[in-house]
Amino acid sequence: MLWNSGSQPHELSDAELLQMVSNGAPDAFGVLQRRHERAAWAYASTCLKSPGDAQAVTAYALTGLRLRIGRAETGENCVRISILNTIRGVAIQWAALNPTMLTPSFGRWVDAGAMWSLTEDAELRSAFEELPGAQQCLLWHAIVEGDSPATVGSIAGIPAGGVSEYVAQAVHSLRRGCAERYALRLDREDCLGFVNAVVFGSAESWADAADTTHLRECPECREVFRELRDLSVRLAARLPQRLLGWWPAEAYRSAKYEVAGATAPVSAAARRTRGAFLRVARSGRRRRTRPSGYWYVAALGFLLVLVAFGLYALAAKRP
């Protein structure tokens, strides 16, 4: 699904940019950063009160992504999800050191254990994560985030005019994946027959299958059928909660589409917390020795001091 090979960096998909950065093209990461930093800050601002603190966490997440790319440790199919996951995790760690930094809503979520269900919608998450990375990226940006076709096209590397078709194909693949997981739980012959005929049928008649006898008699299949038929709506509401846990959709979208940027300085509380967090993160690491170039600079500086002192002494001896 990568249409833009040979194009300028700003025209490349996220996947192509990740590959370029991994191959030693640092400018490509700047394109990724410009694409995602606004949304990343918006998500961070739902966790932290100060815009500057949100900036600090956003910078931390972007730096972490850059380091993972350099170590070939990305393993992520969607850059946006990866960044938001990091932001949420770092904000929780900062909260342990300074809970006053948190927004009230995020603070309540953290106080409640910062947890989300491991069973509800498990089939949705597993089906989503088994999709190709390009389809995951399409569904997240087009359906969950509601980005414009032009934005989705640039991120996914497809023409804006073809986004709706590709999204429809991705929804189709996700629906079948969810249905397959549902079928694995079935032991009744009539339920299996329904799944084979309707869900896996060639027509996949989502509009009129609700009139079948089996759906009238089987509440479980009826519920599953309705969820699969309305999968796009369900996806936008439930997938972020399954992947991120913390998902204040309205607050996030409001901050994401604000015109003004976050220009406030990082607060003193954030600086103290960040310093403590980094000290904890670095504990146990082997202390690095100074690079050899450092000693050459130090020696040169020392020689310059001696020369200056000698010139001063000669000048002092002159009549």
Side-chain angles (χ1 to χ4, degrees), residues 6-134:
S7 302
Q8 296 300 312
H10 68 276
E11 300 173 331
L12 299 177
S13 69
D14 279 8
E16 290 173 310
L17 289 169
L18 287 170
Q19 187 61 50
M20 287 181 66
V21 176
S22 180
N23 291 340
D27 290 347
F29 189 78
V31 179
L32 282 174
Q33 179 170 327
R34 288 189 292 275
R35 273 184 190 170
H36 298 285
E37 63 183 347
R38 180 63 199 170
W41 177 87
Y43 186 73
S45 70
T46 70
C47 304
L48 300 162
K49 293 178 183 177
S50 164
D53 296 350
Q55 274 190 322
V57 174
T58 299
Y60 189 95
L62 290 168
T63 300
L65 175 65
R66 178 66 183 88
L67 293 174
R68 291 196 302 276
I69 297 173
R71 296 193 298 260
E73 295 177 0
T74 51
E76 301 291 344
N77 292 314
C78 181
V79 170
R80 180 70 54 82
I81 296 174
S82 175
I83 293 173
L84 300 189
N85 250 321
T86 301
I87 288 173
R88 185 215 58 244
V90 173
I92 291 174
Q93 291 175 307
W94 283 24
L97 300 171
N98 194 341
T100 62
M101 297 169 61
L102 306 185
T103 61
S105 54
F106 185 69
R108 287 191 295 270
W109 184 71
V110 172
D111 289 341
M115 297 184 297
W116 55 96
S117 172
L118 298 177
T119 56
E120 184 181 359
D121 290 323
E123 294 170 350
L124 175 63
R125 175 170 181 167
S126 61
F128 176 82
E129 290 180 338
E130 286 194 5
L131 291 175

Side-chain angles (χ1 to χ4, degrees), residues 227-294:
E227 288 191 346
L228 292 177
R229 182 183 57 190
D230 303 325
L231 185 60
S232 295
V233 176
R234 180 184 173 212
L235 185 69
R238 299 185 186 179
L239 182 63
Q241 295 177 348
R242 289 295 302 156
L243 295 178
L244 300 173
W246 172 249
W247 184 249
E250 293 305 317
Y252 168 65
R253 292 191 181 99
S254 176
K256 178 181 172 183
Y257 293 112
E258 282 180 356
V259 176
T263 57
V266 179
S267 71
R271 289 194 294 270
R272 290 193 299 271
T273 302
R274 180 170 52 185
F277 175 72
L278 291 175
R279 286 194 295 274
V280 171
R282 290 168 179 163
S283 63
R285 294 183 182 176
R286 186 177 63 181
R287 185 176 179 181
R288 293 184 178 179
T289 58
R290 295 187 185 274
S292 57
Y294 172 86

